Amino acid sequence: MSSAAAPVLRITSLSKTFPAQRALADVDLEVRAGEVHCLLGQNGSGKSTLIKILAGYHSPDPGSSATLNGAPLALGSRTTREQAVAFIHQDLGLVTEFDAVDNLALGNRYAGRWWLSERRERRAAQQLLAELEIDLDPGRPIREATPGQRTMLAIARAVAATDGAPALLVLDEPTASLPQHQVEQLFALMRRLRERGTALLYVTHRLREVYAVGDRVTVLRDGRRISTEPIENVGQDELIRLIIGREPAAFAPQLPAAGTETLLKATGVSGDQVADFSLQVRAGEIVGVTGLVGSGFDQALGLIFGARPRVAGEVTLGGQPVPPGRPDRSIDAGLAYAPADRKGLSTIQAWTARENVTLPRLPATRTARWLGPRAERRAVRPWIRRLNVMPADPDRQLALLSGGNQQKLVLARWMRLDAKVLLLDEPTSGVDAGATAAIYDVLAGVATQGGAVVLSSSDAEELCAVCDRVLVMRQGVVRTVLSKGDLSVARIVSETIRDSADHQEYRPCLSNLDPAS
Ligand SMILES: Nc1ncnc2c1ncn2[C@@H]1O[C@H](COP(=O)(O)OP(=O)(O)OP(=O)(O)O)[C@@H](O)[C@H]1O
């Protein structure tokens, strides 16, 4: 990236006012050709609103303007997509039953150029994947691909649609559920596009990614642009200070030495993707479970809790059996479980923040015991403060909060239950750095008070930071247990991908191609 590179995107005085909420105020932003420009900010700071305006989902306030390669850009209209701008949202918009060739062809101009020639289309797809060094068998249905491969395919589709490289590629938290080695593959692809002159606007909460792939960084706070800097000019503490607007609190969990009492015991638990999962967790322990998508790591906790059908195995809590398929009994026994798909599985979007946090435990099977609005507010305010939910309004409708703030509230629901053992799938996915530290503090607090936590995560650094022990699953089975002294990102990554096709990273995909086609 050269600092003199021309701005591809120039946004001037961008503002957006929702009813009772100013989401963006006079934001100026320039993204240059051949740079990865990171857009950072706490949950609710306005990042998604900016991207949604670029993508045409929201109209900005009057007075906002933008240009793309010097030409006026109609903000709030979908025409940006026809102007060499590509968006990679978390929902990639791929058809999982189709193979890469058909996914690339979907909606792309290049499919039409070789119309009626399936062979040429296949060859073009193969060439494109090889050129971008995306290791993916173009003839296999995408459901068999890793999440990282799918993300890269979505980028390849954007490249195909724009004759070589989009002028601007906007990526909204593409690594949220990718294991480390797939993150690295994605970054390699981003660098290749940067070399072709694409301007990349990259939204993430993971600061280490900013240092790994970013050239410049813009920080938003409360809808205002606080700073734009080359990344080498800002150290991590300074960056956190810019993001949260105060000195960062050091995260130094005081984890107790684990007790001798076994709290949670799972023996031979099996279900859909999990076979013979066994685990013993002592009071005071934080245990992690990890693996690739499909390894079963993201299903084990749901099976223990009873949210997923358990076909075999036993679970006890404090020596008492926890029956399968009965979340109500699990909660009574002292378990709490927050699934990864918090938005889909456990929120009521039309309700307020306080109603979502204090949802009666089991409305379906019990007479609901509602707290009443005043008591709800009292119960919820400490959590809003602790996790820095913005806006700090218990009466705000959940649907009007940013994604990360919704995550915090639903997590608060489970954390406030005073469970003996917390089971959390991907507890900090989509949550900003400040609230992530607050969540880690809550977990450490549960352990210190004689409880325990089991968390599943694809974030190797998170596992190293908070866990006493990490179970690594492959093909549905726990294959490795790493204890404190053995825990490192490199070790977790290598154990995660051992024996999988993924371990041959960056292998060119040519071996999968049929030269005759
Ligand atoms: N449709 C809407 N109606 C009212 N307020 C909204 C709406 N969408 C977003 N907001 C508010 O605008 C502000 C900015 O939200 P935005 O989703 O842009 O934040 P964000 O930085 O992307 O957060 P996150 O990191 O959690 O995704 C928040 O206060 C949010 O509550």
Side-chain angles (χ1 to χ4, degrees), residues 357 383 387 407-417:
V357 176
W383 286 98
L387 299 180
Q407 298 256 31
K408 294 179 196 174
L409 287 168
V410 183
L411 211 56
R413 180 200 303 161
W414 296 106
M415 297 196 298
R416 71 181 275 279
L417 281 183

Side-chain angles (χ1 to χ4, degrees), residues 305 317 322 326-336 361-362 365-366 369 417 420:
F305 181 72
L317 189 69
V322 178
R326 290 292 303 269
D328 55 335
R329 300 273 296 276
S330 300
I331 292 173
D332 285 345
L335 283 175
R361 287 178 173 189
L362 293 164
T365 55
R366 283 218 185 132
R369 274 183 292 144
L417 281 183
K420 288 191 199 120

